[in-house]
Amino acid sequence: VRTVMSIIFLILLVPVVLHSDEDIVKWMPASVLTILSVLFISLPIIVISLLQTRYPERAIMWFTRKLSFTTQRNCFIWYNEFKNAVVVMGKHPKMVFRAFIESGVSLLFIYATVPAYFTGLNIDFDLQQVMGRMVLLNLILYFSPTPGGSGVAEAGFLVLFSNILPNGVEGIMAVLWRFTAEYLPFMLGAVVTIRAFGSDVLNMASLKSKTTEGKKNE
């Protein structure tokens, strides 16, 4: 549910970013910019409407018809999890709105590590521009085909911030950002998980998954 909220929050910010960052959209006609803004704002409504129909399942079946059974099943599992998340959100609108705001603020604080590093290195920058590009980059990472957006995140950071940062600093800043926003929380989460559930937690999760799958096959 929180992932869905984060994606929707970032999508709703895209029109603001496109209209405020002239360097990104200077080659884009005003009419195209307007269409994209309306599309991004309407996208959550379109997705929720489609979830009430059978069209997404038919589309998944068509796109995965030539793939392996395991891949096809995983695609349907992901879709059902996404659909269930939306259903849960629809049943508790007030709580969802509060969680939506909290998720958005949490994301912005995480992205704020980048301008914090800029400030520490005495680099002149526009805060709104930097945060806007972080919004675009992290929205792309949600749909990245690589685990955790590895490679895509670093390459995207270099593309978006190469004209802001001095030469030779882009790569260092990309590594610092990834370490602070991704790898450090991952390591802390691993420590907390092991301390809370024991060092055998991975084997327990694997055994539970195999048991559940065996019952489904039966």
Side-chain angles (χ1 to χ4, degrees), residues 5 15 27 47 56-57 64 102 109 115 126 128 130-132 137 140 154 156 165-167 187 193-194 196:
M5 291 181 181
W27 51 271
V47 170
E57 296 179 359
T64 61
E102 291 177 352
F109 271 103
D126 183 332
Q128 183 176 356
V130 172
M131 293 296 289
L137 178 56
I140 294 173
E154 290 78 6
L165 296 171
N167 292 332
M187 290 186 288
T193 300
I194 293 174

Side-chain angles (χ1 to χ4, degrees), residues 22-40:
E22 297 180 356
D23 290 339
I24 292 181
V25 298
K26 59 184 178 183
W27 51 271
M28 189 180 299
S31 57
V32 176
L33 184 60
T34 302
I35 293 174
L36 286 177
S37 299
V38 174
L39 177 62
F40 275 109

Side-chain angles (χ1 to χ4, degrees), residues 9-34:
F9 180 82
L10 296 180
I11 287 177
L12 294 177
L13 286 182
V14 168
V16 179
V17 175
L18 293 179
H19 281 277
S20 61
D21 196 334
E22 297 180 356
D23 290 339
I24 292 181
V25 298
K26 59 184 178 183
W27 51 271
M28 189 180 299
S31 57
V32 176
L33 184 60
T34 302

Side-chain angles (χ1 to χ4, degrees), residues 3 9 19 23-24 32 58 65 73 89 92 96 111 116 118 140 152 158 174 186-187 218:
T3 301
F9 180 82
H19 281 277
D23 290 339
I24 292 181
V32 176
R58 295 176 183 175
R65 66 188 187 282
R73 182 185 62 179
M89 292 168 63
H92 307 280
V96 166
Y111 304 161
F118 285 9
I140 294 173
V152 177
L158 295 178
F186 174 80
M187 290 186 288
E218 292 176 1

Side-chain angles (χ1 to χ4, degrees), residues 119-210:
T119 302
L121 295 175
N122 295 321
I123 298 174
D124 294 331
F125 66 94
D126 183 332
L127 179 60
Q128 183 176 356
Q129 182 185 51
V130 172
M131 293 296 289
R133 296 191 181 189
M134 290 300 298
V135 166
L136 292 178
L137 178 56
N138 283 273
L139 178 60
I140 294 173
L141 294 183
Y142 275 106
F143 305 97
S144 171
T146 60
S150 299
V152 177
E154 290 78 6
F157 190 93
L158 295 178
V159 171
L160 289 175
F161 292 96
S162 59
N163 64 333
I164 298 177
L165 296 171
N167 292 332
V169 180
E170 308 99 318
I172 299 175
M173 194 63 61
V175 172
L176 285 174
W177 160 58
R178 289 292 284 174
F179 178 80
T180 306
E182 299 292 337
Y183 303 130
L184 182 59
F186 174 80
M187 290 186 288
L188 292 175
V191 172
V192 172
T193 300
I194 293 174
R195 288 180 63 88
F197 299 102
S199 59
D200 202 39
V201 62
L202 295 179
N203 293 331
M204 292 169 56
S206 177
L207 178 62
K208 181 179 179 181
S209 176
K210 291 179 180 179

Side-chain angles (χ1 to χ4, degrees), residues 30-132:
S31 57
V32 176
L33 184 60
T34 302
I35 293 174
L36 286 177
S37 299
V38 174
L39 177 62
F40 275 109
I41 293 175
S42 305
L43 191 58
I45 300 175
I46 296 174
V47 170
I48 293 175
S49 299
L50 285 175
L51 290 177
Q52 311 301 318
T53 69
R54 302 284 295 183
Y55 292 114
E57 296 179 359
R58 295 176 183 175
I60 294 174
M61 181 66 72
W62 188 85
F63 281 111
T64 61
R65 66 188 187 282
K66 295 183 179 180
L67 302 178
S68 65
F69 171 76
T70 302
T71 302
Q72 191 178 64
R73 182 185 62 179
N74 290 336
C75 290
F76 274 100
I77 290 175
W78 180 89
Y79 168 73
N80 287 327
E81 289 179 348
F82 178 82
K83 185 175 181 179
N84 289 336
V86 175
V87 171
V88 171
M89 292 168 63
K91 291 181 179 179
H92 307 280
K94 292 183 179 180
M95 296 176 63
V96 166
F97 179 74
R98 176 184 172 183
F100 175 78
I101 298 300
E102 291 177 352
S103 297
V105 173
S106 174
L107 288 177
L108 294 179
F109 271 103
I110 293 174
Y111 304 161
T113 56
V114 174
Y117 279 128
F118 285 9
T119 302
L121 295 175
N122 295 321
I123 298 174
D124 294 331
F125 66 94
D126 183 332
L127 179 60
Q128 183 176 356
Q129 182 185 51
V130 172
M131 293 296 289

